[in-house]
Amino acid sequence: MSVSRRTVLATAAGAVATGASSTPAAATGTTPAPTLSKLRAAADYAVEKLHAVAPTVTAFPVGTKFEKWTYSQSGDWVGGFWPGTLWMAWLYSEDEAFRTLASASARKLAPRQYDTGTHDLGFLFCPSWVTAWRLTGEEAWRAGALRAADSLIRRYNPQGRFIRAWGALNDEKNAGRVIVDTMMNLDLLAFASHQTGDAKYLDIAVEHAKTTRRVFPRPDGSTPHVYDFDPKSGAPLGPNTVQGYSPTSCWSRGQAWGLYGFTTMYRRTGNRDFLATARKLADFAIGALTPDHVPVWDYRAPQQPHDIKDASAGAITACGLLDLSAATGRQAYREVALRLLTALSETCLTRRSARAEAVVARCTRHRPNEDGIEVSLPYADYYLLEGILRVLRPQDVDRAIDLSSVTASRA
């Protein structure tokens, strides 16, 4: 399979920062006034919290302990979300202090451009460097993101047609391990193909998405966290998990990554199989939501629907559903997204705590390891702001992360 040059050039994954996107995926439908009011109040709270906390942050937040951020100097896999959150705060508030802080934070990720030991380069560089380039037009951001894409494609296994998730390139232990999260890293490759005119990046993204589509979704639309392959032959071995309850369960954040990632890949390629998969994952997640609209950490853990929550899964799901509503024209997806964002804004913010440094509470990082249970996580703050801005200011979000869609369908 090879993505045509025409498709590559039509893909607007890196539309110039000051230029218009091709076929923007505008939000569909209207938003009730009470919902708008609640979302504005949440965004105002986020900006207020960031005003107070951001000047004291000198590394990359990875999660909270006793409501205070803990940090990684290198960024771990989450380093892109802190500068990304600051970019979103700048778009909403137009406060230049956020732009200055976002740029300074993103620059600290520079060594990770050459990191071939992780699949998470999309998480690291899309909210930070790609967004910085789209908003500022400064060439250094674009060039660094392209170098990160070069590092990412080195992890591609042509026998199995997948991007391996974990481990160094010479580490055989995880050489055949694929995780649903990687769907969110593929947009960095779409960006690279558009910017360079070289189809190889998008080719790899498409092949990985096709492999994920083939083995991850179950008939009911749920997904496992992990799928293992024989790294030498590429033969599929079967589902597994690391962060979910079991290989047969459905880790809610992983389901959200898949929903959002497949929708993005549909927008970048026009491949309607990706759209159908996104809808299948969305429909399962919607059906699994509890009445409070805050996802449990795993939709099939034995204690659900009364299990601990993961607000980050709710924020990511909301963004994916807004994207899916725009891609399909189906208002129902948007209505669920608005209920998710409203629930998070009303029940999951840190408003009651004077010492809290994050915006969103009630997140769960790694339940099986008893790591980060009901804490705050940087991606929850980022996706909550992205989701709210998708509703309040879709054109501004399009400037930052590109909501465009190609129009030609592909098999």
Side-chain angles (χ1 to χ4, degrees), residues 11 13-14 112-113 115 118-131 141-153 163 182-196 198 201-202 205 264-265 268 401:
T11 302
R112 303 296 299 277
Q113 301 166 59
D115 186 351
T118 178
H119 72 123
D120 285 316
L121 291 165
F123 283 132
L124 288 168
F125 284 90
C126 284
S128 56
W129 287 51
V130 174
T131 290
W141 299 119
R142 172 185 174 275
L146 294 177
R147 284 190 288 270
D150 282 328
S151 296
L152 180 55
I153 62 172
I163 296 170
T182 306
M183 287 301 304
M184 289 293 290
N185 290 308
L186 301 183
D187 206 29
L188 179 65
L189 302 183
F191 170 83
S193 275
H194 177 77
Q195 289 300 305
T196 63
D198 189 338
Y201 304 98
L202 189 56
T264 300
M265 283 301 294
R268 300 298 180 234
I401 63 173

Side-chain angles (χ1 to χ4, degrees), residues 386-409:
E386 180 191 308
I388 290 174
L389 265 65
R390 278 176 174 267
V391 176
L392 301 181
R393 298 186 181 178
Q395 296 305 317
D396 282 339
V397 176
D398 187 44
R399 287 172 54 209
I401 63 173
D402 183 15
L403 304 183
S404 66
S405 178
V406 300
T407 56
S409 296

Side-chain angles (χ1 to χ4, degrees), residues 161-291:
R161 298 185 177 184
F162 61 80
I163 296 170
R164 60 178 293 183
W166 298 315
L169 297 180
N170 60 358
D171 174 14
E172 296 184 2
K173 179 181 178 182
N174 290 301
R177 181 144 281 196
V178 178
I179 64 176
V180 70
D181 317 37
T182 306
M183 287 301 304
M184 289 293 290
N185 290 308
L186 301 183
D187 206 29
L188 179 65
L189 302 183
F191 170 83
S193 275
H194 177 77
Q195 289 300 305
T196 63
D198 189 338
K200 68 181 179 183
Y201 304 98
L202 189 56
D203 280 348
I204 288 172
V206 167
E207 289 301 329
H208 178 91
K210 286 182 174 180
T211 298
T212 303
R213 176 184 177 273
R214 188 175 70 250
V215 302
F216 273 82
R218 304 182 183 109
D220 65 357
S222 66
T223 57
H225 177 208
V226 174
Y227 206 96
D228 289 320
F229 293 79
D230 182 312
K232 294 182 179 178
S233 69
L237 300 178
N240 212 319
T241 197
V242 172
Q243 290 184 254
Y245 179 80
S246 75
T248 60
S249 71
C250 184
W251 178 47
S252 61
R253 191 161 71 244
Q255 188 80 3
W257 295 138
L259 155 61
Y260 195 162
F262 273 108
T263 305
T264 300
M265 283 301 294
Y266 166 70
R267 290 198 290 107
R268 300 298 180 234
T269 65
N271 186 325
R272 298 195 68 83
D273 287 342
F274 296 157
L275 182 64
T277 302
R279 292 192 58 191
K280 191 172 185 179
L281 270 58
D283 292 344
F284 176 86
I286 292 169
L289 287 174
T290 49

